[in-house]
């Protein structure tokens, strides 16, 4: 309900701004946050940094998963011929190894999410600064991010990406 109220208030404010805009020139811009986080050099650099930082752990987890599967398949194949005590011991070992693997996988995912949030947060902060700079320099009245519908003539996403790339080149 609160979201609906916020959307209604935003729509009312936009309609009021448009009504005012008829009396004077109203400059509105739109920025696709998704495109900025996908196409800008700082976002690509952040993604590459994360991949370099986490690729070894990810490969280790993949190798461990493959070993666990092989061990499980071998146990399943050998189970009919094993003594009850040996089969129980192997099952306990497999369960313990799987538990350890799941713990390591959760830790990996948590660490990756935390670092991704940090890196993307820095890119978003830089993007917002670039948007603010464009807003001030080109005298926009309103810049909207992530709108449902927008006209390509108000889309300034490419300007923002170019500004970010220029900052990254320095």
């Amino acid at each position: 309900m609160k979201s609906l109220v916020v959307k209604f208030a935003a729509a009312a404010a936009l309609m009021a701004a448009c009504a005012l805009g008829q009396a004077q020139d109203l400059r509105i811009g739109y920025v696709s946050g998704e495109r900025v986080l996908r196409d800008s050099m700082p976002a690509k650099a952040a993604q590459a940094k994360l991949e370099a930082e986490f690729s070894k752990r990810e490969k280790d987890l993949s190798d461990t998963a493959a070993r666990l599967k092989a061990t499980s398949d071998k146990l399943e194949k050998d189970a009919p011929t094993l003594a009850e005590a040996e089969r129980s011991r192997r099952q306990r070992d497999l369960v313990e190894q799987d538990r350890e693997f799941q713990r390591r996988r959760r830790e990996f995912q948590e660490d990756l999410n935390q670092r991704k949030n940090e890196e993307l947060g820095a890119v978003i902060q830089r993007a917002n600064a670039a948007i603010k700079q464009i807003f001030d320099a080109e005298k926009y009245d309103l810049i909207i991010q992530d709108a449902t519908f927008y006209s390509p003539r108000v889309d300034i996403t490419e300007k923002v990406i170019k500004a970010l790339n220029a900052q990254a080149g320095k």
Side-chain angles (χ1 to χ4, degrees), residues 52-72:
E53 187 175 331
F54 286 93
S55 63
K56 183 183 181 316
R57 280 177 65 188
E58 187 174 28
K59 183 177 179 345
D60 289 345
L61 285 172
S62 294
D63 293 346
T64 301
R67 281 195 309 274
L68 276 173
K69 176 149 178 33
T71 302
S72 175

Side-chain angles (χ1 to χ4, degrees), residues 89-118:
R89 185 189 66 75
R90 285 189 184 183
Q91 285 174 335
R92 277 193 311 272
D93 287 349
L94 186 61
V95 166
E96 185 57 38
Q97 289 172 9
D98 185 57
R99 191 175 296 132
E100 176 64 17
F101 169 72
Q102 296 300 332
R103 182 191 62 76
R104 287 179 48 218
R105 191 179 62 153
R106 272 191 311 277
E107 285 177 358
F108 170 80
Q109 200 60 48
E110 289 170 2
D111 291 348
L112 177 62
N113 287 340
Q114 180 180 356
R115 286 289 295 127
K116 188 180 283 189
N117 288 339
E118 290 169 2

Side-chain angles (χ1 to χ4, degrees), residues 10-11 22-23 30 61 65 72-73 75 88 92 105-107 118 123 151 158:
Q22 291 176 353
Y30 163 75
L61 285 172
S72 175
D73 291 347
L75 177 61
S88 293
R92 277 193 311 272
R105 191 179 62 153
R106 272 191 311 277
E107 285 177 358
E118 290 169 2
V123 173
S151 170
E158 201 57 42

Side-chain angles (χ1 to χ4, degrees), residues 4 13 19 70 74 77 79 95 99 102 116 119 130 139 157 164:
L4 183 61
K74 183 171 176 17
K77 179 182 160 208
V95 166
R99 191 175 296 132
Q102 296 300 332
K116 188 180 283 189
E119 291 294 327
K139 300 190 183 342
T157 304
L164 278 173

